[in-house]
Amino acid sequence: MNKVKHCLFVVLILVFSACTDGRIYEDFQSPPNQNWGITDSLVFDLQEVELINTPDLVAVKFNEKYSFSNCYMRIISKDSAGLILDNKLINITLFDPKSGEPLGEGFGNSYTRYDTLPFRFDQNTKSVTLLQYMRQDQLAGVEAVGIKILK
């Protein structure tokens, strides 16, 4: 009986450690009415996050109303005093250029595409702001946008 309890304890520890997914932080924000406006700033608070030199990801949750093959966005990181540390423009490919199939995970008509940022957040970063940069006032079909910081 003691062996069974020990094995069960080990299995539970393995299950819970596998569920952490190796992330320090992950959060999504939804634009109003699934329309990401050109003036809609999505701000992520990283005050309590200890940043280490690891890959950071950005994610876009989109559906069939999204009418472009990619998404340009500006990523602005700031320190605790509000000073800009980085201001980068990135391009995330959401659909395969040859087949037109959506990239990323999903089911039905909703997909989530994660992409590695081509830079790392400065260790002094305390907030990150995401802005759409598609030269269109409203981007229909964007369900949520987020960031993920890995261990």
Side-chain angles (χ1 to χ4, degrees):
M1 187 67 171
N2 202 13
K3 277 186 172 182
V4 172
K5 286 183 183 179
H6 181 67
C7 287
L8 184 60
F9 180 71
V10 170
V11 168
L12 284 174
I13 288 175
L14 290 174
V15 167
F16 283 118
S17 65
C19 292
T20 62
D21 194 20
R23 69 178 175 248
I24 298 172
Y25 175 87
E26 183 173 22
D27 190 23
F28 282 87
Q29 293 189 15
S30 300
N33 303 319
Q34 295 184 1
N35 285 301
W36 193 7
I38 198 155
T39 59
D40 293 336
S41 300
L42 305 178
V43 180
F44 298 88
D45 182 14
L46 302 178
Q47 294 288 339
E48 303 299 320
V49 179
E50 183 180 338
L51 296 173
I52 53 178
N53 197 17
T54 59
D56 304 316
L57 306 173
V58 65
V60 178
K61 291 183 180 182
F62 61 99
N63 60 37
E64 83 281 351
K65 292 180 183 175
Y66 192 79
S67 58
F68 300 98
S69 63
N70 64 339
C71 183
Y72 282 97
M73 70 176 68
R74 185 158 295 281
I75 300 177
I76 302 168
S77 63
K78 297 179 182 179
D79 66 8
S80 59
L83 297 173
I84 294 175
L85 300 172
D86 267 320
N87 185 347
K88 307 271 187 190
L89 180 66
I90 64 166
N91 179 22
I92 300 172
T93 305
L94 300 178
F95 292 87
D96 184 272
K98 291 184 181 178
S99 69
E101 294 294 316
L103 300 172
E105 301 286 319
F107 59 92
N109 64 358
S110 183
Y111 296 90
T112 303
R113 170 80 161 119
Y114 284 91
D115 200 359
T116 305
L117 291 176
F119 60 93
R120 301 200 195 279
F121 291 129
D122 185 282
Q123 288 182 330
N124 295 321
T125 299
K126 297 302 177 191
S127 74
V128 174
T129 303
L130 302 180
L131 301 162
Q132 67 100 335
Y133 229 67
M134 292 291 291
R135 292 190 226 163
Q136 184 167 337
D137 287 346
Q138 297 289 320
L139 280 182
V142 177
E143 297 175 3
V145 182
I147 60 173
K148 182 176 185 178
I149 300 171
L150 303 174
K151 288 184 182 178

